[in-house]
Amino acid sequence: MWQRISPRQLLVASIVAAVVTIALKTLAWYVTGSVGLLSDALESFVNLAAAIFALAMVTIAQRPADDDHPYGHTKAEYFSSGFEGVLILGAALAIGWTAVERLLAPQPLEAPGLGLALSVASTVVNGGLAVLMQRAARAHHAAGVAGAEAVEADARHLMTDVYTTVGVVVGVAAVYFTGWLWLDPLIALAVAANIVREGLHLMRRASDGLMDHALDPQLQQEIERVLAQFTDPHRPGLLRFDHINTRRSGQRRFVDLHMHMPAAWSLRRAAALRTSVEQALMSAVPGLRATIQLLPSDVEAHFDDEKDIK
Ligand SMILES: [Zn+2]
């Protein structure tokens, strides 16, 4: 029965659950005045962000290339992860500020029983959905459905949130039983530190993608190994590859390079060789799109000069 729930539906459910969780946890903070519970509520925004991000990945990013976007839509995911990273860091900053204020001026908690009950209720929602999503993701994986990874990652995120909430609930209950008011802001600071970590991770992901990060070193080595098969070390003037640049865009990979050959070769011969090189590259590195510029041995394309880039 798990196969009947599509990755998209699961991620929409995850977004709804995140909104419900945020509402319950905010209410828990409102009735108790605990900054620990407030930090837990704000951390649920991380879940909301993660679920929206995953939904963007299985919808926009997987759309095929069209006339306006001939290179596909794979970079769409970086917008959301960058934006979410900024939001999340803002939330962490707000928690940190409130927690430090509370450390300097401790306040007793009100209605802790009701607050903790609301928190536990939100955790039951999250935990239940996480288990369901994990099972569905496994079924989708086995069936080879696209988007299974996104669902799996989101379920993992939800589970992490469950553990955080359990920690916060135990901490706030301890504040109630011991009367150690300083413990509440301390819990909030610990949660804030975790949120900062998540936010920085999202922003690094976004900047790597938007800044056209090169392919992993082992893939670059693989490309050079393939190109080396076409050159003859004893006759270096015959065929030469240079200006090799790689970049990653979401799930896709790109390489562009120069292929220098004797000027006397016919265009037919040059084009046939280029096709062989392209095919060898694409079969060695899955998902790679190669752009190869043909040039005579003694001519260099000048737009790659450093002075032109400036
Ligand atoms: Zn060149």
Side-chain angles (χ1 to χ4, degrees), residues 183-203:
L183 187 59
D184 183 37
L186 220 59
I187 295 165
L189 284 175
V191 174
N194 187 45
I195 298 175
V196 167
R197 198 179 54 82
E198 299 261 7
L200 289 178
H201 175 74
L202 276 170
M203 286 177 73

Side-chain angles (χ1 to χ4, degrees), residues 235-246:
R235 299 172 68 190
L238 197 61
L239 202 61
R240 185 176 89 244
F241 298 101
D242 60 20
H243 290 90
I244 303 164
N245 292 311
T246 63

